[in-house]
Amino acid sequence: NISDKSLKYLSQTLIKSTCLQSINLNFAGCEEITDQGFEDLGQSLQRLRLLKSLNLNFGFNKNITNDDRGNLPKCLQKLHSLQSLNLDFPGCWLTTDESLGNLSKGLEGLNCLKSLKVNFLSCWDITDKGLNYISESLKEMTALHDIILNFSL
């Protein structure tokens, strides 16, 4: 199974690939990835200033907490060239309104973003408050062409 150790190695490799424009990482069901692995990945991604497309899937991971998704906004805020963002966190039961509040901070300033897909299927602790956070961040995204938000239970 994929663990933090492997994710750290991948993160170190990504840092060296400064010309990357598209990344698609699927770690759905990799329950050995914890807070630390997610933090290492976020620190690497924020250095990829030419990145135009980012797809992350950490679905059904019970070891990533609200605190760690707090690193994702820091990463996103530095990706000014990002045009497409797809975040899949279905079945991540530790996701709460606080997670979406943090995420919405990262979405602010992504003025080039044309496509946003967010999937929080079966995240039971998300309420109206969480969706309102995301809605507020959308107000500034004038280049946005496509939006898919999934909060189904």
Side-chain angles (χ1 to χ4, degrees):
N1 202 352
I2 304 296
S3 68
D4 288 342
K5 184 177 178 181
S6 297
L7 198 53
K8 182 172 186 159
Y9 182 75
L10 174 64
S11 299
Q12 292 168 343
T13 303
L14 289 175
I15 291 173
K16 297 173 186 172
S17 304
T18 56
C19 293
L20 277 175
Q21 293 187 17
S22 179
I23 294 178
N24 186 351
L25 301 174
N26 187 339
F27 295 105
C30 296
E31 292 186 3
E32 291 184 31
I33 294 176
T34 66
D35 301 346
Q36 186 59 53
F38 199 75
E39 182 178 344
D40 291 339
L41 180 62
Q43 288 176 357
S44 297
L45 291 175
Q46 68 185 342
R47 296 181 183 173
L48 302 175
R49 306 293 168 108
L50 300 177
L51 198 62
K52 293 183 179 185
S53 176
L54 178 60
N55 297 297
L56 296 177
N57 186 339
F58 282 90
F60 305 98
N61 186 318
K62 60 184 177 187
N63 294 315
I64 297 176
T65 67
N66 282 329
D67 294 338
D68 301 295
R69 268 175 242 131
N71 291 320
L72 184 60
K74 292 175 191 171
C75 162
L76 294 175
Q77 289 172 339
K78 297 185 179 183
L79 299 177
H80 300 291
S81 298
L82 199 62
Q83 295 178 11
S84 176
L85 178 61
N86 184 4
L87 300 175
D88 275 315
F89 290 96
C92 292
W93 300 281
L94 296 176
T95 301
T96 65
D97 292 334
E98 182 183 345
S99 304
L100 295 185
N102 289 335
L103 176 60
S104 68
K105 291 174 189 171
L107 295 175
E108 294 172 2
L110 293 180
N111 299 329
C112 293
L113 200 64
K114 294 180 180 178
S115 176
L116 175 65
K117 298 175 184 173
V118 178
N119 182 9
F120 287 102
L121 172 79
S122 296
C123 294
W124 308 102
D125 290 331
I126 295 176
T127 67
D128 290 342
K129 184 176 179 181
L131 182 55
N132 289 341
Y133 285 135
I134 298 296
S135 298
E136 282 297 314
S137 64
L138 295 176
K139 288 181 180 179
E140 304 298 320
M141 295 183 194
T142 56
L144 212 51
H145 292 199
D146 299 306
I147 301 173
I148 297 176
L149 303 175
N150 185 3
F151 295 98
S152 302
L153 297 178

